[in-house]
Amino acid sequence: MTNIKEKLLKSISAVEVISGKELSKTKEKLLNEQFNLVVIGQFKRGKSTLINALLGDDIVPSSILPLTSIVTIISYSQAKKAIVKFLDNSKEEIELEKIEKYVTEKHNPKNKLNVKEVHVFHPSPYLKKGIRIIDTPGIGSVFKHNTDVAYSFLPYCDAAVFVMSPDPPLGEAEIGFLKNVRTYTEKFFFVLNKIDMVSEKELDEVIEFNKHFLEDYTKTKGIKIYPISAKNALKAKQTKDSNLLKESRISEFENELDEFIQKEKGNIITISTINAILRHINNELTSYQIQKQAQNFSLERLKEKTVKFEGFIKGVKEEAEEYEYILDKRIEKIYKELDEEIEKLKEQHLSELIEKMQQHYEEKAKEKPTTEEFEIYMTQKMNEYIMDIFNDFKKEQSEIISNKIEAIYDELAKRINEKIEDIAKTASSIFEIKLNSYIDKEKLIQKSYFYFMLQDQMGILNIFATTFRTKLPFFIGKKIAYKHIKNTTIELFDRHCGRVRYDLTKRVRETTFRFKDQLKDKLDLTIESIEKALNKAIQIKTESQKKALEVFKTIEHNTKLLSKEKEELEKLKQQLS
Ligand SMILES: Nc1nc2c(ncn2[C@@H]2O[C@H](COP(=O)(O)OP(=O)(O)OP(=O)(O)O)[C@@H](O)[C@H]2O)c(=O)[nH]1
Ligand SMILES: [Mg+2]
């Protein structure tokens, strides 16, 4: 990945120098595109140690006490440094060695420093590949807030490493967490850390045990567990001890993670960058051809032809606007269909859910619990049912919607490509030369972008243990408590419906915006390069012959350089696909 990236940056610079134009958007996209890898797991499983092991250096603090309390985002930079971002949006640069003061419960108890997150910059080669690692506070620790943090990062990451260890195999907090993140299992890497603490036989048992439960909780078959010792891996890398590194078994995990990263993201970015450079080269070569050809016409005829071409372009622009309108209409239709699905979901599940709650009510009542116990039990049941319903629904709907918008985007991209071809054809006929158009077909969105998370503070119902209701004796309290639960069920169901709608439509809006921008750019750049060429051609005609000759010499030279660059990029593209 590093190599290709560097190659492409070189190619961009070369094309910029030759053409005298900046490819800033392409460069920015290539440089900024990061692979977000989030590391999650119960406290003390060894998340921070694993990150240090991947990087081969003690970067994030680790300790025997529950430690990380603030999210730390680690990315590449030549110079080591850390930036603390506070809840009031202010920032402060600190020395990397001082992050402990901000990210740990010990030094920043209950986050009294009001830290939002800490950004760490480090020159590690691992990060240079374009990987951004996110260290999260352990789930299920005494600080409930930490679990929410882990949840909230999932939708935005490209892969998640879930760290477990043999002591004990799996806890309640982990199980609860895993049940709720089923939607994301595809991007999970399950790591069993601290293998140095158990015998070979014990290890096999723990792996078997965990695998069975993981598959059960996430409803996924064939889950792979990577047994490693992060502690030994880190030590081995720091002391260059190859035997210890082998013992740590980290390499297999690293390799497969790398492969996943390359497959998921690397190719998409590199191919779209290659396409952008090739498109740019093609526009530039077309512009040269037009400038040369224009010299065969009198100034008057050239101006006539230019007017004719402008007329054609006006039509193209109008059509492009129309496409945008059609796109908006289709997106609206997707929203409407989603609303219908939500209504159907309500019809199908809500009355059934209330019925189930009624059954639980009757069964639990027989046990004569206290009102408080009763309410806690019922609330738990309700949360479980709702989570189940919405987990499945959101997965199904994000799949359906991402397929629908992909189809719409594909069709529109095809039409814009046809327009670009049309421009080349029309320009060819007006200016009596053969011009080539550069057409690429690339994926504009990633499926993972559509997966999203429901469980957040809003989704979890508070247990109203302090209200007067729960203090009532059960024979009085049960009816009131049940009525309360029933109303809350309806309300919570509604809120989840709203939440699904909000999340999905937001994602559709964001991708559509990016998509439109890309298409518009493609078309505009093609038109712009021809228009500029015509202006230049007219200008050359009014200048001295000596100057004109100079211009054509440069054009000749640049054509050779760009053609060579083009050839290399095409070869690279072929290798990648
Ligand atoms: N034996 C052994 N101990 C390990 C290993 N990895 C981590 N530890 C130890 O486990 C403890 C917790 O490690 P951390 O990396 O701080 O764990 P964490 O998951 O980041 O913890 P929190 O931030 O509190 O959630 C430390 O004492 C580590 O030295 C390992 O592979 N083997
Ligand atoms: Mg930690």
Side-chain angles (χ1 to χ4, degrees):
M1 205 155 136
T2 335
N3 249 337
I4 295 182
K5 206 168 173 177
E6 270 163 17
K7 226 182 201 164
L8 290 179
L9 283 172
K10 248 194 202 151
S11 178
I12 291 175
S13 307
V15 175
E16 279 182 329
V17 170
I18 301 166
S19 68
K21 283 178 196 152
E22 272 186 47
L23 275 72
S24 38
K25 260 195 191 175
T26 310
K27 194 154 69 185
E28 210 175 290
K29 227 167 116 191
L30 180 66
L31 285 173
N32 289 348
E33 211 49 72
Q34 295 263 0
F35 188 93
N36 294 308
L37 180 70
V38 68
V39 180
I40 43 185
Q42 192 166 300
F43 60 94
K44 271 176 56 186
R45 292 296 197 190
K47 298 177 291 300
S48 300
T49 311
L50 173 59
I51 291 173
N52 290 337
L54 286 174
L55 302 175
D57 196 359
D58 273 306
I59 294 172
V60 280
S62 71
S63 152
I64 199 137
L65 298 165
L67 192 69
T68 312
S69 59
I70 299 290
V71 167
T72 312
I73 301 163
I74 311 154
S75 47
Y76 178 80
S77 144
Q78 271 175 338
K80 279 188 197 181
K81 65 174 175 194
I83 291 173
V84 183
K85 287 197 178 160
F86 296 94
L87 289 169
D88 65 2
N89 281 330
S90 61
K91 313 184 229 196
E92 189 187 326
E93 190 176 326
I94 57 162
E95 279 166 46
L96 188 51
E97 291 70 29
K98 302 233 165 87
I99 61 169
E100 213 173 317
K101 275 175 72 180
Y102 297 88
V103 303
T104 64
E105 195 59 38
K106 188 175 155 200
H107 294 100
N108 177 14
K110 294 210 169 76
N111 193 15
K112 65 172 197 278
L113 297 174
N114 291 320
V115 177
K116 190 171 158 223
E117 59 200 27
V118 173
H119 290 252
V120 165
F121 297 90
H122 192 274
S124 144
Y126 195 82
L127 302 168
K128 201 176 178 188
K129 294 186 232 178
I131 299 171
R132 183 192 285 145
I133 304 182
I134 300 144
D135 189 13
T136 61
I139 53 169
S141 66
V142 273
F143 319 105
K144 161 135 188 4
H145 157 80
N146 291 354
T147 311
D148 297 335
V149 169
Y151 280 127
S152 67
F153 263 89
L154 271 179
Y156 303 104
C157 71
D158 301 297
V161 180
F162 189 81
V163 186
M164 306 173 290
S165 64
D167 52 331
L170 275 177
E172 217 169 291
E174 284 163 312
I175 293 168
F177 182 84
L178 287 167
K179 273 188 184 168
N180 285 322
V181 299
R182 280 213 292 273
T183 331
Y184 297 103
T185 348
E186 279 165 36
K187 56 181 177 185
F188 265 66
F189 279 78
F190 294 98
V191 163
L192 185 74
N193 188 30
K194 307 194 188 183
I195 59 168
D196 54 290
M197 290 173 70
V198 288
S199 69
E200 203 57 43
K201 186 170 165 280
E202 285 168 323
L203 180 62
D204 287 343
E205 278 169 13
V206 179
I207 290 178
E208 208 38 55
F209 178 88
N210 281 21
K211 189 172 143 72
H212 172 78
F213 281 101
L214 289 179
E215 289 184 350
D216 204 26
Y217 297 136
T218 61
K219 293 191 180 154
T220 316
K221 284 221 163 60
I223 279 185
K224 182 164 182 181
I225 294 176
Y226 298 87
I228 64 157
S229 166
K231 197 171 160 184
N232 284 344
L234 174 61
K235 199 166 150 204
K237 285 189 183 180
Q238 284 173 327
T239 58
K240 300 205 165 55
D241 181 342
S242 57
N243 282 334
L244 191 62
L245 190 69
K246 210 165 156 205
E247 235 173 76
S248 78
R249 294 174 70 173
I250 200 163
S251 300
E252 189 191 350
F253 164 65
E254 281 180 326
N255 292 341
E256 293 194 13
L257 182 63
D258 265 357
E259 221 171 89
F260 180 83
I261 293 173
Q262 183 63 41
K263 209 172 75 208
E264 271 295 292
K265 208 149 190 182
N267 263 350
I268 298 178
I269 318 166
T270 35
I271 292 194
S272 90
T273 308
I274 293 176
N275 282 339
I277 309 175
L278 282 172
R279 206 179 310 126
H280 191 81
I281 292 179
N282 189 70
N283 286 342
E284 195 64 17
L285 291 175
T286 301
S287 146
Y288 295 164
Q289 269 180 289
I290 289 182
Q291 286 178 58
K292 277 195 294 187
Q293 176 70 356
Q295 303 313 307
N296 297 326
F297 309 123
S298 68
L299 187 59
E300 200 182 333
R301 271 200 75 204
L302 182 57
K303 280 186 178 163
E304 263 171 40
K305 283 177 184 290
T306 306
V307 171
K308 201 166 161 192
F309 181 72
E310 290 295 346
F312 164 73
I313 289 301
K314 200 168 156 248
V316 170
K317 284 187 175 160
E318 275 165 16
E319 264 175 89
E321 262 169 44
E322 208 169 293
Y323 293 162
E324 220 172 276
Y325 177 77
I326 295 171
L327 174 70
D328 291 340
K329 283 276 162 237
R330 297 220 174 136
I331 299 289
E332 265 171 42
K333 190 163 165 256
I334 290 184
Y335 294 162
K336 221 178 118 222
E337 284 162 358
L338 173 64
D339 286 338
E340 283 163 15
E341 288 303 320
I342 291 174
E343 274 313 307
K344 256 195 236 159
L345 182 83
K346 256 190 216 169
E347 270 167 38
Q348 272 171 8
H349 289 284
L350 191 55
S351 52
E352 197 187 305
L353 177 61
I354 291 172
E355 225 168 85
K356 275 187 191 156
M357 293 304 291
Q358 173 80 29
Q359 278 167 17
H360 282 297
Y361 164 70
E362 278 157 20
E363 269 162 37
K364 190 74 188 172
K366 284 182 201 148
E367 291 172 21
K368 300 224 167 23
T370 65
T371 306
E372 188 174 342
E373 280 165 1
F374 172 74
E375 207 168 274
I376 291 174
Y377 172 81
M378 294 293 281
T379 307
Q380 249 169 13
K381 283 284 162 217
M382 175 181 62
N383 272 333
E384 270 172 35
Y385 283 131
I386 288 201
M387 278 305 154
D388 258 359
I389 294 170
F390 281 91
N391 263 328
D392 291 343
F393 183 70
K394 77 187 173 189
K395 187 165 189 168
E396 182 192 292
Q397 285 307 311
S398 36
E399 194 68 39
I400 292 174
I401 292 186
S402 78
N403 285 338
K404 277 185 196 163
I405 69 164
E406 219 168 55
I408 296 174
Y409 289 178
D410 266 358
E411 199 201 311
L412 202 68
K414 212 174 106 207
R415 286 201 200 183
I416 293 287
N417 278 346
E418 277 167 13
K419 274 294 130 202
I420 291 176
E421 258 175 300
D422 235 19
I423 294 172
K425 265 192 216 140
T426 308
S428 294
S429 105
I430 294 179
F431 301 105
E432 301 162 35
I433 36 164
K434 169 96 193 71
L435 297 171
N436 293 319
S437 53
Y438 179 74
I439 300 297
D440 50 52
K441 198 175 175 304
E442 65 192 39
K443 277 238 165 307
L444 285 147
I445 48 160
Q446 273 171 289
K447 276 243 158 84
S448 62
Y449 195 71
F450 280 90
Y451 293 129
F452 61 100
M453 189 59 212
L454 274 178
Q455 167 124 16
D456 58 2
Q457 276 124 317
M458 193 189 84
I460 309 160
L461 189 69
N462 292 321
I463 297 170
F464 303 96
T466 50
T467 63
F468 80 96
R469 190 177 57 243
T470 55
K471 301 281 175 257
L472 293 171
F474 186 58
F475 71 95
I476 307 173
K478 67 178 180 185
K479 280 237 162 67
I480 305 173
Y482 175 66
K483 202 171 157 218
H484 167 73
I485 296 283
K486 193 177 148 185
N487 287 339
T488 321
T489 307
I490 298 171
E491 196 197 315
L492 197 64
F493 199 99
D494 261 345
R495 264 200 278 170
H496 269 82
C497 288
R499 177 76 201 212
V500 173
R501 191 185 193 281
Y502 175 81
D503 275 336
L504 274 176
T505 51
K506 182 168 169 240
R507 271 161 186 75
V508 172
R509 245 194 336 273
E510 281 170 7
T511 34
T512 304
F513 182 77
R514 289 203 296 198
F515 174 73
K516 273 187 187 170
D517 194 50
Q518 270 186 50
L519 280 195
K520 207 170 154 339
D521 241 27
K522 247 179 171 175
L523 195 63
D524 286 353
L525 287 175
T526 308
I527 295 173
E528 201 188 278
S529 69
I530 299 183
E531 285 175 341
K532 274 201 181 141
L534 288 170
N535 285 337
K536 267 193 204 154
I538 292 173
Q539 201 195 333
I540 296 169
K541 280 223 163 282
T542 58
E543 274 167 357
S544 72
Q545 197 149 23
K546 193 175 154 235
K547 210 153 185 196
L549 273 175
E550 256 169 46
V551 173
F552 290 119
K553 232 171 107 185
T554 316
I555 284 183
E556 225 38 75
H557 181 67
N558 287 352
T559 305
K560 267 191 210 133
L561 293 178
L562 286 177
S563 304
K564 208 174 133 240
E565 204 65 49
K566 183 175 157 184
E567 209 177 291
E568 270 170 31
L569 286 168
E570 270 164 355
K571 231 191 276 163
L572 186 63
K573 191 172 157 184
Q574 217 156 33
Q575 279 166 14
L576 288 169
S577 42

